[in-house]
Amino acid sequence: CTIANCITQHRYGREPGVVYADYQAIERCTEQAAAKLSEFGRDRIYLPSIGTGNAAGDPGIILPILEKSFSDVDAVLWLKTNKD
């Protein structure tokens, strides 16, 4: 088991209408995580709701990033949006 932490936002808060998710950071982190999986010979990853919870990111932007980064990996995603 390997655990990694990805920093995907520079600020946090709950101000209405403010998106705290950093889409470029999400892309960099997930690409690096996918590379590490390959390096470690792993083919499965479990992900929390990266950027879509309190960070108020758009799942329509984030999901394609995840699909691209983990295209060769069996990814399990727990996605919670602000609408839940």
Side-chain angles (χ1 to χ4, degrees):
C1 176
T2 301
I3 298 172
N5 184 30
C6 292
I7 299 179
T8 59
Q9 62 192 72
H10 296 289
R11 300 179 316 131
Y12 62 91
R14 295 187 186 264
E15 188 174 332
V18 175
V19 175
Y20 296 96
D22 181 333
Y23 300 121
Q24 291 176 335
I26 292 169
E27 187 168 16
R28 282 190 307 270
C29 286
T30 56
E31 286 174 355
Q32 290 173 8
K36 285 295 181 185
L37 282 172
S38 178
E39 181 182 323
F40 295 153
R42 310 268 179 161
D43 62 356
R44 187 172 195 84
I45 188 168
Y46 295 88
L47 302 167
S49 57
I50 296 174
T52 61
N54 292 337
D58 182 345
I61 295 172
I62 295 172
L63 286 175
I65 291 171
L66 299 178
E67 289 171 352
K68 178 183 169 206
S69 295
F70 297 115
S71 62
D72 296 331
V73 177
D74 184 10
V76 177
L77 176 65
W78 285 279
L79 182 63
K80 180 182 184 306
T81 66
N82 289 335
K83 296 175 187 166
D84 293 339

